[in-house]
Amino acid sequence: DAKTTQPPSMDCAEGRAANLPCNHSTISGNEYVYWYRQIHSQGPQYIIHGLKNNETNEMASLIITEDRKSSTLILPHATLRDTAVYYCIVRDAGGTSYGKLTFGQGTILTVHP
Amino acid sequence: DAGVIQSPRHEVTEMGQEVTLRCKPISGHNSLFWYRQTMMRGLELLIYFNNNVPIDDSGMPEDRFSAKMPNASFSTLKIQPSEPRDSAVYFCASSSGIGGELFFGEGSRLTVL
């Protein structure tokens, strides 16, 4: 699986948009970009994923650059409950990997009042 | 749906004792993953199963660790004998299909004295 690079930490004011960047310059054509988050003492939670096009769901938006070498997760109106570690993962959704997830160090997002 | 259920939630044991962690995946899911999380190493994939068959156990640290999945609704991770360096939070996750989203349990926090 391709490697991802994320900033170790970020801050965001409550109510503002949180934009979390991720670099995945070695991504291959059959690999998806996934985002998970882990709130303290809980198991990781799925947020969103995409292949080429931008995606949006009730939690967040995912913007993937045209060359697919980087992406940005957007939490449009961050709340204190969004404070967590956010993991950007490149995942081969099939083949011999059986969809396993390989976690990096992630970005610690702190949302402050 | 009850989600992925892990037990025990907390386990404190002494070095040399056998530890068994249990996981009940979400009904209908056919892939199951065991992860370990420590401050030093982050989230590490230990082993994963597809249709109850172990696919890749290359992440299992050593022969003291073993995992089984006797049926589609139950898996165990066993450490025998346990050592203080095995202290960690162990997560189980399941997914539907090869590229499905992973759902994580709440984890089992193991402390080996």
Side-chain angles (χ1 to χ4, degrees):
Chain A
D1 292 339
K3 180 178 170 59
T4 62
T5 303
Q6 299 178 252
S9 64
M10 294 184 65
D11 287 339
C12 178
E14 188 177 21
R16 304 298 294 269
N19 297 281
L20 290 86
C22 179
N23 286 321
H24 31 79
S25 58
T26 60
I27 192 169
S28 61
N30 63 339
E31 290 180 319
Y32 288 73
V33 179
Y34 276 75
W35 284 83
Y36 278 72
R37 75 179 181 182
Q38 186 175 24
I39 296 171
H40 182 61
S41 298
Q42 298 181 19
Q45 174 192 25
Y46 166 81
I47 300 174
I48 198 168
H49 75 281
L51 182 64
K52 296 181 183 178
N53 301 319
N54 299 337
E55 302 288 344
T56 296
N57 63 19
E58 65 279 4
M59 289 182 67
S61 295
L62 174 60
I63 308 298
I64 303 174
T65 58
E66 193 169 341
D67 63 6
R68 302 211 320 126
K69 293 183 184 301
S70 66
S71 61
T72 301
L73 178 74
I74 301 172
L75 307 179
H77 305 286
T79 71
L80 299 179
R81 288 191 299 270
D82 292 321
T83 293
V85 181
Y86 287 77
Y87 297 98
C88 169
I89 303 164
V90 170
R91 182 192 193 196
D92 181 354
T96 58
S97 73
Y98 286 84
K100 67 177 181 179
L101 290 175
T102 302
F103 288 83
Q105 294 305 307
T107 296
I108 300 172
L109 175 68
T110 303
V111 181
H112 51 85
Chain B
D1 198 331
V4 175
I5 299 173
Q6 293 186 244
S7 65
R9 291 294 312 278
H10 301 274
E11 174 95 7
V12 179
T13 191
E14 294 191 346
M15 183 174 63
Q17 297 298 306
E18 178 179 296
V19 174
T20 299
L21 307 178
R22 298 171 177 80
C23 175
K24 177 178 169 56
I26 292 173
S27 177
H29 283 189
N30 61 347
S31 293
L32 184 139
F33 305 79
W34 281 101
Y35 285 84
R36 176 174 69 174
Q37 186 171 34
T38 61
M39 288 292 293
M40 292 296 293
R41 301 175 68 90
L43 271 162
E44 302 174 277
L45 177 62
L46 300 178
I47 184 171
Y48 59 100
F49 296 82
N50 185 255
N51 293 326
N52 311 337
V53 176
I55 301 300
D56 185 352
D57 65 354
S58 60
M60 297 285 261
E62 44 196 279
D63 292 345
R64 297 184 297 106
F65 286 69
S66 62
K68 294 182 180 179
M69 192 164 186
N71 57 61
S73 59
F74 184 65
S75 177
T76 59
L77 178 67
K78 184 177 292 186
I79 308 172
Q80 165 65 17
S82 59
E83 296 183 2
R85 59 192 167 128
D86 302 331
S87 297
V89 181
Y90 291 81
F91 289 102
C92 175
S94 69
S95 70
S96 172
I98 290 177
E101 166 193 346
L102 266 65
F103 291 82
F104 283 79
E106 290 299 309
S108 294
R109 180 176 295 276
L110 173 65
T111 302
V112 183
L113 303 175

